[in-house]
Amino acid sequence: IPPDFALSFTTDDRGVIYGGLYPNGELVAFDPKTRALVNFGPLARETWPQYLYLATDDKGWVYAFINFVRGNIIAFRPETGEKRQLTPEDKRGYHDGAEVWRGRDGRVYGRLGKDEWYRMYDGAGARIAGPPAVDRAIHNSAVAPPSRWPDGSSFSNLGVRGRRVSVSDAGGSRPRGVAFDYQCAGRSIYSMIG
């Protein structure tokens, strides 16, 4: 793993956790079942810092919205390593702001800049007229963290200094404390996924 930090996380239907690393735009994946960690490398070779925001569709594609200097949307198929640039080269420009999420319909929706909305599915994407009227199913950690995880549980408080998080189990009557530990080279926790 490079010494960069993960700006965004998301998960796929198999439970694999993906991280978008800043500043080189690398995509990493961790499979909690096998404990395998894979670095797929940069999704786009650029000469400036890249801010990746990630989401996955129900077909197994990972989508990265890349913010700022020359905004971009990349579709990536982890099983084959196939990358597709979904933003036409002549349409790329400065974009300040991005968000991306998976809808309850299994498709991915996102925004580059203030008002460029997109829908992606099965490795393809299209610009749409405005914000989609689709409920969010899976959020990435950089934008609007979920109030509930798929099993109905949630976290309510993260104490980095005390190294404890409060978790409310689905159907539980009160939150429980969970201790955690980590080592780092001086950076604080920027993102969290459960």
Side-chain angles (χ1 to χ4, degrees):
I1 294 291
D4 307 335
F5 71 89
L7 179 69
S8 175
F9 290 99
T10 195
T11 58
D12 68 13
D13 290 351
R14 298 171 298 136
V16 175
I17 302 167
Y18 294 91
L21 302 185
Y22 171 87
N24 295 324
E26 294 177 63
L27 180 69
V28 296
F30 176 70
D31 186 334
K33 294 174 190 156
T34 65
R35 312 295 295 170
L37 180 65
V38 177
N39 182 349
F40 293 107
L43 290 182
R45 300 251 182 224
E46 305 288 5
T47 60
W48 55 82
Q50 295 176 68
Y51 297 77
L52 269 62
Y53 299 90
L54 305 174
T56 61
D57 68 16
D58 64 7
K59 296 286 190 176
W61 285 83
V62 179
Y63 300 89
F65 276 53
I66 301 174
N67 209 11
F68 297 121
V69 178
R70 292 191 70 228
N72 206 351
I73 304 169
I74 304 290
F76 180 75
R77 183 78 170 166
E79 289 78 17
T80 64
E82 179 183 359
K83 294 179 201 175
R84 296 179 183 171
Q85 179 175 311
L86 302 182
T87 308
E89 200 60 40
D90 65 333
K91 300 293 184 191
R92 294 182 63 199
Y94 181 84
H95 290 86
D96 188 1
E99 64 178 303
V100 61
W101 71 90
R102 178 160 155 187
R104 294 209 180 272
D105 61 359
R107 287 158 172 72
V108 168
Y109 297 89
R111 175 186 55 81
L112 271 179
K114 294 182 180 168
D115 61 358
E116 290 185 26
W117 289 92
Y118 297 88
R119 176 179 50 243
M120 284 75 52
Y121 192 63
D122 202 15
R127 189 157 178 193
I128 57 176
V134 176
D135 288 337
R136 297 179 185 210
I138 298 175
H139 302 258
N140 73 35
S141 63
V143 178
S147 59
R148 297 248 177 253
W149 290 318
D151 70 354
S153 62
S154 65
F155 82 89
S156 57
N157 186 26
L158 172 65
V160 176
R161 285 189 181 171
R163 298 181 184 213
R164 294 191 66 77
V165 63
S166 296
V167 176
S168 298
D169 294 314
S173 59
R174 54 181 225 186
R176 61 183 170 88
V178 177
F180 65 91
D181 199 7
Y182 67 98
Q183 294 180 355
C184 72
R187 292 187 174 148
S188 56
I189 293 175
Y190 188 80
S191 299
M192 181 177 165
I193 191 167

PDB file of all heavy atoms in Angstrom, residues 146-181:
ATOM      1  N   PRO A 146     -24.170   6.800   6.057  1.00  0.00           N
ATOM      2  CA  PRO A 146     -25.485   6.216   6.276  1.00  0.00           C
ATOM      3  C   PRO A 146     -25.889   6.288   7.734  1.00  0.00           C
ATOM      4  O   PRO A 146     -25.055   6.191   8.621  1.00  0.00           O
ATOM      5  CB  PRO A 146     -25.296   4.757   5.840  1.00  0.00           C
ATOM      6  CG  PRO A 146     -23.842   4.503   6.024  1.00  0.00           C
ATOM      7  CD  PRO A 146     -23.154   5.806   5.741  1.00  0.00           C
ATOM      8  N   SER A 147     -27.173   6.480   7.975  1.00  0.00           N
ATOM      9  CA  SER A 147     -27.646   6.434   9.357  1.00  0.00           C
ATOM     10  C   SER A 147     -27.815   4.988   9.799  1.00  0.00           C
ATOM     11  O   SER A 147     -27.778   4.699  10.978  1.00  0.00           O
ATOM     12  CB  SER A 147     -28.969   7.200   9.480  1.00  0.00           C
ATOM     13  OG  SER A 147     -29.931   6.631   8.616  1.00  0.00           O
ATOM     14  N   ARG A 148     -27.984   4.092   8.850  1.00  0.00           N
ATOM     15  CA  ARG A 148     -28.129   2.661   9.148  1.00  0.00           C
ATOM     16  C   ARG A 148     -27.326   1.850   8.143  1.00  0.00           C
ATOM     17  O   ARG A 148     -27.312   2.152   6.962  1.00  0.00           O
ATOM     18  CB  ARG A 148     -29.584   2.225   9.057  1.00  0.00           C
ATOM     19  CG  ARG A 148     -30.473   2.899  10.058  1.00  0.00           C
ATOM     20  CD  ARG A 148     -30.966   1.894  11.089  1.00  0.00           C
ATOM     21  NE  ARG A 148     -31.767   2.567  12.079  1.00  0.00           N
ATOM     22  CZ  ARG A 148     -31.356   2.790  13.318  1.00  0.00           C
ATOM     23  NH1 ARG A 148     -30.189   2.409  13.694  1.00  0.00           N
ATOM     24  NH2 ARG A 148     -32.130   3.402  14.166  1.00  0.00           N
ATOM     25  N   TRP A 149     -26.693   0.774   8.630  1.00  0.00           N
ATOM     26  CA  TRP A 149     -26.023  -0.178   7.752  1.00  0.00           C
ATOM     27  C   TRP A 149     -27.055  -1.185   7.272  1.00  0.00           C
ATOM     28  O   TRP A 149     -28.173  -1.254   7.805  1.00  0.00           O
ATOM     29  CB  TRP A 149     -24.888  -0.875   8.496  1.00  0.00           C
ATOM     30  CG  TRP A 149     -23.734   0.053   8.787  1.00  0.00           C
ATOM     31  CD1 TRP A 149     -23.204   0.978   7.940  1.00  0.00           C
ATOM     32  CD2 TRP A 149     -22.987   0.147  10.001  1.00  0.00           C
ATOM     33  NE1 TRP A 149     -22.160   1.623   8.545  1.00  0.00           N
ATOM     34  CE2 TRP A 149     -21.998   1.143   9.811  1.00  0.00           C
ATOM     35  CE3 TRP A 149     -23.036  -0.495  11.227  1.00  0.00           C
ATOM     36  CZ2 TRP A 149     -21.084   1.490  10.784  1.00  0.00           C
ATOM     37  CZ3 TRP A 149     -22.116  -0.156  12.205  1.00  0.00           C
ATOM     38  CH2 TRP A 149     -21.163   0.824  11.976  1.00  0.00           C
ATOM     39  N   PRO A 150     -26.732  -1.978   6.266  1.00  0.00           N
ATOM     40  CA  PRO A 150     -27.728  -2.904   5.699  1.00  0.00           C
ATOM     41  C   PRO A 150     -28.364  -3.846   6.718  1.00  0.00           C
ATOM     42  O   PRO A 150     -29.518  -4.215   6.570  1.00  0.00           O
ATOM     43  CB  PRO A 150     -26.923  -3.688   4.655  1.00  0.00           C
ATOM     44  CG  PRO A 150     -25.868  -2.736   4.213  1.00  0.00           C
ATOM     45  CD  PRO A 150     -25.496  -1.969   5.472  1.00  0.00           C
ATOM     46  N   ASP A 151     -27.642  -4.213   7.799  1.00  0.00           N
ATOM     47  CA  ASP A 151     -28.223  -5.123   8.796  1.00  0.00           C
ATOM     48  C   ASP A 151     -29.086  -4.387   9.822  1.00  0.00           C
ATOM     49  O   ASP A 151     -29.630  -4.988  10.738  1.00  0.00           O
ATOM     50  CB  ASP A 151     -27.136  -5.936   9.499  1.00  0.00           C
ATOM     51  CG  ASP A 151     -26.265  -5.100  10.424  1.00  0.00           C
ATOM     52  OD1 ASP A 151     -26.408  -3.854  10.456  1.00  0.00           O
ATOM     53  OD2 ASP A 151     -25.427  -5.695  11.131  1.00  0.00           O
ATOM     54  N   GLY A 152     -29.204  -3.051   9.690  1.00  0.00           N
ATOM     55  CA  GLY A 152     -30.027  -2.270  10.605  1.00  0.00           C
ATOM     56  C   GLY A 152     -29.251  -1.638  11.738  1.00  0.00           C
ATOM     57  O   GLY A 152     -29.776  -0.816  12.477  1.00  0.00           O
ATOM     58  N   SER A 153     -27.982  -1.981  11.917  1.00  0.00           N
ATOM     59  CA  SER A 153     -27.173  -1.377  12.972  1.00  0.00           C
ATOM     60  C   SER A 153     -26.570  -0.063  12.475  1.00  0.00           C
ATOM     61  O   SER A 153     -26.626   0.257  11.290  1.00  0.00           O
ATOM     62  CB  SER A 153     -26.073  -2.342  13.419  1.00  0.00           C
ATOM     63  OG  SER A 153     -25.188  -2.626  12.353  1.00  0.00           O
ATOM     64  N   SER A 154     -26.020   0.713  13.407  1.00  0.00           N
ATOM     65  CA  SER A 154     -25.416   1.988  13.047  1.00  0.00           C
ATOM     66  C   SER A 154     -24.355   2.360  14.073  1.00  0.00           C
ATOM     67  O   SER A 154     -24.300   1.783  15.151  1.00  0.00           O
ATOM     68  CB  SER A 154     -26.480   3.088  12.985  1.00  0.00           C
ATOM     69  OG  SER A 154     -27.032   3.298  14.263  1.00  0.00           O
ATOM     70  N   PHE A 155     -23.508   3.336  13.732  1.00  0.00           N
ATOM     71  CA  PHE A 155     -22.605   3.868  14.743  1.00  0.00           C
ATOM     72  C   PHE A 155     -23.009   5.295  15.030  1.00  0.00           C
ATOM     73  O   PHE A 155     -23.484   6.015  14.158  1.00  0.00           O
ATOM     74  CB  PHE A 155     -21.132   3.724  14.344  1.00  0.00           C
ATOM     75  CG  PHE A 155     -20.593   4.775  13.425  1.00  0.00           C
ATOM     76  CD1 PHE A 155     -20.045   5.940  13.934  1.00  0.00           C
ATOM     77  CD2 PHE A 155     -20.591   4.587  12.068  1.00  0.00           C
ATOM     78  CE1 PHE A 155     -19.528   6.904  13.103  1.00  0.00           C
ATOM     79  CE2 PHE A 155     -20.069   5.545  11.214  1.00  0.00           C
ATOM     80  CZ  PHE A 155     -19.540   6.712  11.739  1.00  0.00           C
ATOM     81  N   SER A 156     -22.850   5.698  16.290  1.00  0.00           N
ATOM     82  CA  SER A 156     -23.334   7.008  16.673  1.00  0.00           C
ATOM     83  C   SER A 156     -22.243   7.932  17.181  1.00  0.00           C
ATOM     84  O   SER A 156     -22.435   9.133  17.207  1.00  0.00           O
ATOM     85  CB  SER A 156     -24.426   6.871  17.739  1.00  0.00           C
ATOM     86  OG  SER A 156     -23.923   6.166  18.852  1.00  0.00           O
ATOM     87  N   ASN A 157     -21.113   7.384  17.589  1.00  0.00           N
ATOM     88  CA  ASN A 157     -20.072   8.232  18.141  1.00  0.00           C
ATOM     89  C   ASN A 157     -18.722   7.585  17.895  1.00  0.00           C
ATOM     90  O   ASN A 157     -18.539   6.406  18.180  1.00  0.00           O
ATOM     91  CB  ASN A 157     -20.312   8.430  19.642  1.00  0.00           C
ATOM     92  CG  ASN A 157     -19.336   9.419  20.241  1.00  0.00           C
ATOM     93  OD1 ASN A 157     -18.820  10.280  19.555  1.00  0.00           O
ATOM     94  ND2 ASN A 157     -19.079   9.280  21.518  1.00  0.00           N
ATOM     95  N   LEU A 158     -17.778   8.353  17.380  1.00  0.00           N
ATOM     96  CA  LEU A 158     -16.433   7.870  17.136  1.00  0.00           C
ATOM     97  C   LEU A 158     -15.479   8.719  17.945  1.00  0.00           C
ATOM     98  O   LEU A 158     -15.409   9.927  17.752  1.00  0.00           O
ATOM     99  CB  LEU A 158     -16.089   7.962  15.647  1.00  0.00           C
ATOM    100  CG  LEU A 158     -14.648   7.657  15.253  1.00  0.00           C
ATOM    101  CD1 LEU A 158     -14.313   6.199  15.539  1.00  0.00           C
ATOM    102  CD2 LEU A 158     -14.421   7.975  13.789  1.00  0.00           C
ATOM    103  N   GLY A 159     -14.774   8.090  18.888  1.00  0.00           N
ATOM    104  CA  GLY A 159     -13.791   8.780  19.708  1.00  0.00           C
ATOM    105  C   GLY A 159     -12.394   8.313  19.353  1.00  0.00           C
ATOM    106  O   GLY A 159     -11.940   7.274  19.835  1.00  0.00           O
ATOM    107  N   VAL A 160     -11.702   9.085  18.491  1.00  0.00           N
ATOM    108  CA  VAL A 160     -10.374   8.678  18.039  1.00  0.00           C
ATOM    109  C   VAL A 160      -9.385   8.672  19.191  1.00  0.00           C
ATOM    110  O   VAL A 160      -8.623   7.723  19.359  1.00  0.00           O
ATOM    111  CB  VAL A 160      -9.887   9.594  16.894  1.00  0.00           C
ATOM    112  CG1 VAL A 160      -8.465   9.250  16.488  1.00  0.00           C
ATOM    113  CG2 VAL A 160     -10.825   9.487  15.706  1.00  0.00           C
ATOM    114  N   ARG A 161      -9.380   9.726  19.999  1.00  0.00           N
ATOM    115  CA  ARG A 161      -8.424   9.780  21.121  1.00  0.00           C
ATOM    116  C   ARG A 161      -8.640   8.638  22.104  1.00  0.00           C
ATOM    117  O   ARG A 161      -7.697   8.033  22.577  1.00  0.00           O
ATOM    118  CB  ARG A 161      -8.529  11.109  21.845  1.00  0.00           C
ATOM    119  CG  ARG A 161      -7.915  12.218  21.076  1.00  0.00           C
ATOM    120  CD  ARG A 161      -7.838  13.463  21.892  1.00  0.00           C
ATOM    121  NE  ARG A 161      -7.253  14.510  21.077  1.00  0.00           N
ATOM    122  CZ  ARG A 161      -7.194  15.752  21.430  1.00  0.00           C
ATOM    123  NH1 ARG A 161      -7.668  16.130  22.597  1.00  0.00           N
ATOM    124  NH2 ARG A 161      -6.650  16.640  20.638  1.00  0.00           N
ATOM    125  N   GLY A 162      -9.891   8.349  22.422  1.00  0.00           N
ATOM    126  CA  GLY A 162     -10.196   7.266  23.352  1.00  0.00           C
ATOM    127  C   GLY A 162     -10.235   5.899  22.693  1.00  0.00           C
ATOM    128  O   GLY A 162     -10.375   4.881  23.354  1.00  0.00           O
ATOM    129  N   ARG A 163     -10.171   5.888  21.357  1.00  0.00           N
ATOM    130  CA  ARG A 163     -10.170   4.659  20.552  1.00  0.00           C
ATOM    131  C   ARG A 163     -11.378   3.771  20.857  1.00  0.00           C
ATOM    132  O   ARG A 163     -11.263   2.579  21.075  1.00  0.00           O
ATOM    133  CB  ARG A 163      -8.857   3.908  20.724  1.00  0.00           C
ATOM    134  CG  ARG A 163      -7.704   4.774  20.235  1.00  0.00           C
ATOM    135  CD  ARG A 163      -6.375   4.112  20.336  1.00  0.00           C
ATOM    136  NE  ARG A 163      -5.373   5.098  19.921  1.00  0.00           N
ATOM    137  CZ  ARG A 163      -4.275   4.813  19.297  1.00  0.00           C
ATOM    138  NH1 ARG A 163      -3.992   3.580  19.003  1.00  0.00           N
ATOM    139  NH2 ARG A 163      -3.440   5.759  18.958  1.00  0.00           N
ATOM    140  N   ARG A 164     -12.544   4.406  20.806  1.00  0.00           N
ATOM    141  CA  ARG A 164     -13.796   3.690  21.019  1.00  0.00           C
ATOM    142  C   ARG A 164     -14.847   4.234  20.065  1.00  0.00           C
ATOM    143  O   ARG A 164     -14.849   5.409  19.721  1.00  0.00           O
ATOM    144  CB  ARG A 164     -14.296   3.841  22.457  1.00  0.00           C
ATOM    145  CG  ARG A 164     -13.397   3.174  23.469  1.00  0.00           C
ATOM    146  CD  ARG A 164     -14.020   3.088  24.845  1.00  0.00           C
ATOM    147  NE  ARG A 164     -15.187   2.244  24.948  1.00  0.00           N
ATOM    148  CZ  ARG A 164     -15.181   0.921  25.002  1.00  0.00           C
ATOM    149  NH1 ARG A 164     -14.068   0.252  24.924  1.00  0.00           N
ATOM    150  NH2 ARG A 164     -16.299   0.245  25.138  1.00  0.00           N
ATOM    151  N   VAL A 165     -15.737   3.356  19.651  1.00  0.00           N
ATOM    152  CA  VAL A 165     -16.859   3.745  18.817  1.00  0.00           C
ATOM    153  C   VAL A 165     -18.125   3.186  19.467  1.00  0.00           C
ATOM    154  O   VAL A 165     -18.098   2.101  20.067  1.00  0.00           O
ATOM    155  CB  VAL A 165     -16.693   3.240  17.356  1.00  0.00           C
ATOM    156  CG1 VAL A 165     -16.674   1.734  17.286  1.00  0.00           C
ATOM    157  CG2 VAL A 165     -17.772   3.809  16.444  1.00  0.00           C
ATOM    158  N   SER A 166     -19.212   3.927  19.405  1.00  0.00           N
ATOM    159  CA  SER A 166     -20.493   3.451  19.915  1.00  0.00           C
ATOM    160  C   SER A 166     -21.291   2.869  18.761  1.00  0.00           C
ATOM    161  O   SER A 166     -21.493   3.530  17.743  1.00  0.00           O
ATOM    162  CB  SER A 166     -21.289   4.598  20.553  1.00  0.00           C
ATOM    163  OG  SER A 166     -20.615   5.094  21.681  1.00  0.00           O
ATOM    164  N   VAL A 167     -21.730   1.630  18.920  1.00  0.00           N
ATOM    165  CA  VAL A 167     -22.488   0.925  17.896  1.00  0.00           C
ATOM    166  C   VAL A 167     -23.856   0.569  18.449  1.00  0.00           C
ATOM    167  O   VAL A 167     -23.961   0.027  19.555  1.00  0.00           O
ATOM    168  CB  VAL A 167     -21.753  -0.361  17.443  1.00  0.00           C
ATOM    169  CG1 VAL A 167     -22.601  -1.146  16.455  1.00  0.00           C
ATOM    170  CG2 VAL A 167     -20.400  -0.015  16.845  1.00  0.00           C
ATOM    171  N   SER A 168     -24.886   0.886  17.692  1.00  0.00           N
ATOM    172  CA  SER A 168     -26.245   0.492  18.064  1.00  0.00           C
ATOM    173  C   SER A 168     -26.633  -0.685  17.181  1.00  0.00           C
ATOM    174  O   SER A 168     -26.793  -0.540  15.964  1.00  0.00           O
ATOM    175  CB  SER A 168     -27.221   1.655  17.846  1.00  0.00           C
ATOM    176  OG  SER A 168     -26.881   2.747  18.668  1.00  0.00           O
ATOM    177  N   ASP A 169     -26.753  -1.867  17.781  1.00  0.00           N
ATOM    178  CA  ASP A 169     -27.129  -3.068  17.035  1.00  0.00           C
ATOM    179  C   ASP A 169     -28.590  -3.002  16.628  1.00  0.00           C
ATOM    180  O   ASP A 169     -29.423  -2.419  17.332  1.00  0.00           O
ATOM    181  CB  ASP A 169     -26.890  -4.317  17.879  1.00  0.00           C
ATOM    182  CG  ASP A 169     -25.415  -4.541  18.157  1.00  0.00           C
ATOM    183  OD1 ASP A 169     -24.617  -4.429  17.214  1.00  0.00           O
ATOM    184  OD2 ASP A 169     -25.058  -4.816  19.320  1.00  0.00           O
ATOM    185  N   ALA A 170     -28.919  -3.612  15.504  1.00  0.00           N
ATOM    186  CA  ALA A 170     -30.300  -3.679  15.042  1.00  0.00           C
ATOM    187  C   ALA A 170     -31.138  -4.352  16.124  1.00  0.00           C
ATOM    188  O   ALA A 170     -30.793  -5.425  16.603  1.00  0.00           O
ATOM    189  CB  ALA A 170     -30.387  -4.456  13.737  1.00  0.00           C
ATOM    190  N   GLY A 171     -32.197  -3.707  16.543  1.00  0.00           N
ATOM    191  CA  GLY A 171     -33.067  -4.263  17.567  1.00  0.00           C
ATOM    192  C   GLY A 171     -32.543  -4.097  18.980  1.00  0.00           C
ATOM    193  O   GLY A 171     -33.212  -4.478  19.939  1.00  0.00           O
ATOM    194  N   GLY A 172     -31.346  -3.547  19.128  1.00  0.00           N
ATOM    195  CA  GLY A 172     -30.770  -3.348  20.462  1.00  0.00           C
ATOM    196  C   GLY A 172     -31.431  -2.191  21.178  1.00  0.00           C
ATOM    197  O   GLY A 172     -31.983  -1.279  20.560  1.00  0.00           O
ATOM    198  N   SER A 173     -31.343  -2.205  22.504  1.00  0.00           N
ATOM    199  CA  SER A 173     -31.996  -1.156  23.281  1.00  0.00           C
ATOM    200  C   SER A 173     -31.082   0.034  23.555  1.00  0.00           C
ATOM    201  O   SER A 173     -31.560   1.135  23.788  1.00  0.00           O
ATOM    202  CB  SER A 173     -32.515  -1.724  24.601  1.00  0.00           C
ATOM    203  OG  SER A 173     -31.437  -2.263  25.349  1.00  0.00           O
ATOM    204  N   ARG A 174     -29.763  -0.184  23.521  1.00  0.00           N
ATOM    205  CA  ARG A 174     -28.851   0.935  23.758  1.00  0.00           C
ATOM    206  C   ARG A 174     -27.509   0.658  23.074  1.00  0.00           C
ATOM    207  O   ARG A 174     -27.154  -0.497  22.830  1.00  0.00           O
ATOM    208  CB  ARG A 174     -28.665   1.201  25.234  1.00  0.00           C
ATOM    209  CG  ARG A 174     -28.227   0.000  26.004  1.00  0.00           C
ATOM    210  CD  ARG A 174     -28.072   0.299  27.455  1.00  0.00           C
ATOM    211  NE  ARG A 174     -26.797  -0.316  27.853  1.00  0.00           N
ATOM    212  CZ  ARG A 174     -26.349  -0.371  29.054  1.00  0.00           C
ATOM    213  NH1 ARG A 174     -27.011   0.159  30.025  1.00  0.00           N
ATOM    214  NH2 ARG A 174     -25.190  -0.942  29.304  1.00  0.00           N
ATOM    215  N   PRO A 175     -26.764   1.716  22.781  1.00  0.00           N
ATOM    216  CA  PRO A 175     -25.475   1.532  22.107  1.00  0.00           C
ATOM    217  C   PRO A 175     -24.477   0.782  22.976  1.00  0.00           C
ATOM    218  O   PRO A 175     -24.532   0.836  24.207  1.00  0.00           O
ATOM    219  CB  PRO A 175     -24.983   2.965  21.868  1.00  0.00           C
ATOM    220  CG  PRO A 175     -26.159   3.839  22.023  1.00  0.00           C
ATOM    221  CD  PRO A 175     -27.090   3.132  22.967  1.00  0.00           C
ATOM    222  N   ARG A 176     -23.581   0.080  22.305  1.00  0.00           N
ATOM    223  CA  ARG A 176     -22.493  -0.601  23.015  1.00  0.00           C
ATOM    224  C   ARG A 176     -21.178  -0.003  22.549  1.00  0.00           C
ATOM    225  O   ARG A 176     -21.046   0.453  21.421  1.00  0.00           O
ATOM    226  CB  ARG A 176     -22.525  -2.103  22.753  1.00  0.00           C
ATOM    227  CG  ARG A 176     -22.358  -2.494  21.311  1.00  0.00           C
ATOM    228  CD  ARG A 176     -22.466  -4.016  21.124  1.00  0.00           C
ATOM    229  NE  ARG A 176     -22.548  -4.352  19.723  1.00  0.00           N
ATOM    230  CZ  ARG A 176     -21.492  -4.555  18.934  1.00  0.00           C
ATOM    231  NH1 ARG A 176     -20.281  -4.485  19.428  1.00  0.00           N
ATOM    232  NH2 ARG A 176     -21.644  -4.840  17.663  1.00  0.00           N
ATOM    233  N   GLY A 177     -20.197   0.022  23.435  1.00  0.00           N
ATOM    234  CA  GLY A 177     -18.885   0.545  23.095  1.00  0.00           C
ATOM    235  C   GLY A 177     -18.006  -0.537  22.489  1.00  0.00           C
ATOM    236  O   GLY A 177     -17.985  -1.670  22.965  1.00  0.00           O
ATOM    237  N   VAL A 178     -17.309  -0.195  21.444  1.00  0.00           N
ATOM    238  CA  VAL A 178     -16.378  -1.116  20.803  1.00  0.00           C
ATOM    239  C   VAL A 178     -15.010  -0.440  20.777  1.00  0.00           C
ATOM    240  O   VAL A 178     -14.876   0.684  20.282  1.00  0.00           O
ATOM    241  CB  VAL A 178     -16.822  -1.453  19.359  1.00  0.00           C
ATOM    242  CG1 VAL A 178     -15.802  -2.344  18.675  1.00  0.00           C
ATOM    243  CG2 VAL A 178     -18.206  -2.096  19.355  1.00  0.00           C
ATOM    244  N   ALA A 179     -14.004  -1.120  21.322  1.00  0.00           N
ATOM    245  CA  ALA A 179     -12.646  -0.580  21.321  1.00  0.00           C
ATOM    246  C   ALA A 179     -11.967  -0.907  19.998  1.00  0.00           C
ATOM    247  O   ALA A 179     -12.237  -1.939  19.383  1.00  0.00           O
ATOM    248  CB  ALA A 179     -11.858  -1.183  22.486  1.00  0.00           C
ATOM    249  N   PHE A 180     -11.114  -0.027  19.541  1.00  0.00           N
ATOM    250  CA  PHE A 180     -10.323  -0.278  18.340  1.00  0.00           C
ATOM    251  C   PHE A 180      -8.929   0.291  18.555  1.00  0.00           C
ATOM    252  O   PHE A 180      -8.698   1.100  19.452  1.00  0.00           O
ATOM    253  CB  PHE A 180     -10.972   0.315  17.087  1.00  0.00           C
ATOM    254  CG  PHE A 180     -11.064   1.820  17.091  1.00  0.00           C
ATOM    255  CD1 PHE A 180     -10.047   2.596  16.560  1.00  0.00           C
ATOM    256  CD2 PHE A 180     -12.173   2.456  17.618  1.00  0.00           C
ATOM    257  CE1 PHE A 180     -10.129   3.978  16.557  1.00  0.00           C
ATOM    258  CE2 PHE A 180     -12.270   3.842  17.616  1.00  0.00           C
ATOM    259  CZ  PHE A 180     -11.245   4.602  17.080  1.00  0.00           C
ATOM    260  N   ASP A 181      -7.991  -0.165  17.754  1.00  0.00           N
ATOM    261  CA  ASP A 181      -6.633   0.339  17.829  1.00  0.00           C
ATOM    262  C   ASP A 181      -6.092   0.458  16.414  1.00  0.00           C
ATOM    263  O   ASP A 181      -6.549  -0.241  15.510  1.00  0.00           O
ATOM    264  CB  ASP A 181      -5.751  -0.598  18.655  1.00  0.00           C
ATOM    265  CG  ASP A 181      -4.495   0.098  19.150  1.00  0.00           C
ATOM    266  OD1 ASP A 181      -4.374   1.331  18.964  1.00  0.00           O
ATOM    267  OD2 ASP A 181      -3.630  -0.588  19.720  1.00  0.00           O
TER     268      ASP A 181
END
